[in-house]
């Protein structure tokens, strides 16, 4: 481990930087763009995918490799109505290098039934990974679902091997998942008026089976955790997923916020008749601190999209509280 920093080393460093910032001794990482993240090599990506036992995707612009972990074994209902797995029941594990290139970071979000949570905690600790958060993303879902974030530091191959070993006996392992159900006849492209939604949200989403999803990063911030830049592809994003139909849609999503933005976002969501279902962290030691809010709504897709857009409009525009330490 001589050439690799541990997560605790980065947390100690982050604490020193944060204390210095509070005293006005150093500029904020949020306003000073760091050097570009070193890319993962072709060999490192191949090693990650061999360890994971599954092909992933590599976001070249953000230097992040992501392995999707959908729960194809589940049949989920929300308020008694069946919803597709891509609506919000797919986990992931992402790996990228630290800014100095001396180590790499793994961040993940795992989709678990209640009785799967603690066995995975034990497996993660046995394999040298840590737990960053455990929480709900939904109300009204059956069966009840929890989301657990795991993280770790090491070489890309080491991290992939640790994660694969952690999940090898769990349902979320690709080796333990059934094939996806036959694709529905109607996709998100046919179910929703996508040009109208894109005009409202002011972004372009992605069709995934019968769902349509927006993923929006925080390009106004530079957020560092464990020596790596947190970007949209490794979990620093706000998102909105649509299921159902144009006139009778479900929306579920997440808003990534600075602390001072939290209650303004909550007010905007409630004003747009969207339900707040969770408020929590996803990671440790990040600078500046990021809070995540999950929401849910029902109704016409265009109205739901307007609520998501209203929340996005708050981000980066809320005056800092005099009590803020960032």
């Amino acid at each position: 481990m001589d050439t690799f920093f541990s997560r605790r080393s980065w947390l100690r460093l982050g604490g020193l930087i944060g204390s210095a910032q509070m005293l006005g001794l150093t500029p904020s990482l949020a306003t000073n763009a760091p050097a570009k993240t070193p890319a993962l090599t072709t060999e490192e990506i191949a090693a990650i995918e061999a360890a994971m036992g599954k092909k992933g995707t590599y976001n070249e612009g953000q230097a992040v490799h992501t392995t999707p972990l959908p729960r194809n074994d589940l049949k989920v209902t929300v308020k008694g109505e069946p919803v597709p797995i891509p609506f919000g029941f797919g986990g992931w594990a992402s790996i990228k290098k630290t800014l100095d290139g001396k180590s790499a970071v793994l961040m993940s979000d795992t989709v678990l039934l209640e009785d799967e949570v603690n066995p995975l905690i034990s497996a993660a600790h046995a394999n040298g990974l840590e737990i960053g958060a455990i929480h709900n993303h939904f109300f009204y879902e059956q069966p009840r679902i929890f989301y657990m974030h795991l993280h770790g530091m090491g070489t890309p191959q080491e991290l992939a091997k640790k994660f694969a070993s952690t999940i090898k006996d769990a349902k979320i392992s690709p080796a333990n998942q059934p094939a996806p159900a036959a694709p529905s006849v109607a996709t998100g492209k046919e179910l929703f008026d996508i040009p109208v939604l894109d005009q409202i949200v002011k972004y372009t989403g992605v069709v995934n089976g019968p769902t349509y999803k927006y993923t929006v990063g925080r390009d106004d911030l530079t957020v560092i955790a464990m020596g790596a830049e947190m970007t949209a592809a490794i979990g620093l994003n706000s998102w909105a997923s649509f299921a159902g139909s144009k006139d009778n849609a479900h929306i579920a999503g997440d808003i990534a916020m600075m602390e001072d933005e939290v209650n303004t976002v909550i007010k905007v969501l409630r004003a747009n008749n969207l339900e707040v279902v969770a408020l929590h962290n996803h990671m440790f030691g990040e600078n500046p601190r990021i809070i995540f809010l999950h929401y849910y709504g029902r109704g016409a897709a265009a109205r739901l999209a307007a609520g998501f857009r209203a929340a996005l409009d708050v981000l980066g525009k809320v005056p800092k509280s005099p009590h803020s330490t960032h």
Side-chain angles (χ1 to χ4, degrees):
M1 289 294 292
D2 291 343
T3 59
F4 291 95
F5 291 103
S6 70
R7 184 187 73 84
R8 289 179 176 81
S9 298
W10 281 114
L11 285 176
R12 285 195 293 270
L13 177 60
L16 292 171
I17 291 171
S19 298
Q21 288 170 358
M22 290 173 66
L23 296 171
L25 300 178
T26 186
S28 170
L29 289 171
T31 56
N32 289 268
K36 184 177 176 64
T37 299
L40 291 168
T41 66
T42 302
E43 292 75 19
E44 286 170 330
I45 292 171
I48 291 170
E49 294 183 343
M52 292 287 196
K54 183 175 183 177
K55 283 281 188 183
T57 59
Y58 182 61
N59 185 313
E60 189 172 350
Q62 298 176 43
V64 177
H65 182 277
T66 299
T67 304
L69 300 168
R71 286 298 301 259
N72 297 321
D73 60 309
L74 297 179
K75 294 186 184 300
V76 182
T77 64
V78 174
K79 288 193 170 182
E81 294 185 8
V83 290
I85 294 304
F87 181 54
F89 305 100
W92 50 269
S94 292
I95 294 173
K96 75 181 299 184
K97 291 183 178 178
T98 54
L99 288 166
D100 60 11
K102 294 181 178 180
S103 189
V105 168
L106 177 140
M107 294 281 187
S108 74
D109 195 5
T110 54
V111 180
L112 305 169
L113 298 174
E114 293 173 272
D115 62 357
E116 296 171 343
V117 172
N118 280 280
L120 194 66
I121 291 173
S122 298
H125 283 168
N127 285 283
L129 298 179
E130 295 186 332
I131 314 306
I134 303 170
H135 46 240
N136 65 298
H137 284 189
F138 286 87
F139 289 158
Y140 320 117
E141 84 281 13
Q142 290 294 331
R144 196 175 186 203
I145 305 293
F146 283 87
Y147 296 77
M148 185 160 75
H149 295 259
L150 305 176
H151 59 238
M153 295 190 73
T155 70
Q157 184 176 21
E158 285 171 350
L159 290 170
K161 286 182 175 179
K162 287 180 178 181
F163 188 83
S165 183
T166 295
I167 68 171
K168 68 180 176 63
D169 296 323
K171 287 285 189 181
I172 61 173
S173 171
N176 300 332
Q177 277 291 299
S184 60
V185 175
T187 70
K189 187 175 181 180
E190 290 79 43
L191 293 167
F192 300 104
D193 192 336
I194 286 177
V196 167
L197 295 183
D198 287 353
Q199 184 177 27
I200 293 168
V201 178
K202 301 176 185 175
Y203 285 96
T204 301
V206 174
V207 173
N208 187 353
T211 68
Y212 190 59
K213 183 178 181 179
Y214 296 97
T215 303
V216 181
R218 286 298 304 253
D219 294 340
D220 59 316
L221 299 176
T222 296
V223 178
I224 307 298
M226 295 184 284
E229 184 182 5
M230 299 293 101
T231 59
I234 200 167
L236 180 61
N237 61 66
S238 299
W239 58 270
S241 183
F242 292 83
S245 64
K246 170 185 170 182
D247 298 320
N248 186 22
H250 299 262
I251 188 174
D254 199 0
I255 307 292
M257 307 164 294
M258 300 277 285
E259 291 174 287
D260 293 308
E261 297 167 340
V262 170
N263 278 281
T264 305
V265 167
I266 288 174
K267 288 177 182 178
V268 166
L269 290 172
R270 293 302 299 129
N272 283 273
N273 204 33
L274 295 176
E275 296 187 48
V276 175
V277 301
L279 182 69
H280 47 236
N281 66 293
H282 281 183
M283 59 190 85
F284 292 151
E286 77 277 14
N287 190 12
R289 191 180 186 206
I290 301 296
I291 306 297
F292 294 84
L293 179 153
H294 290 267
Y295 64 91
Y296 169 80
R298 288 294 310 276
R303 179 179 64 78
L304 299 175
F308 176 56
R309 180 65 242 183
L312 294 180
D313 285 338
V314 169
L315 304 181
K317 297 173 184 174
V318 176
K320 281 186 174 290
S321 162
H323 305 295
S324 174
T325 58
H326 292 299

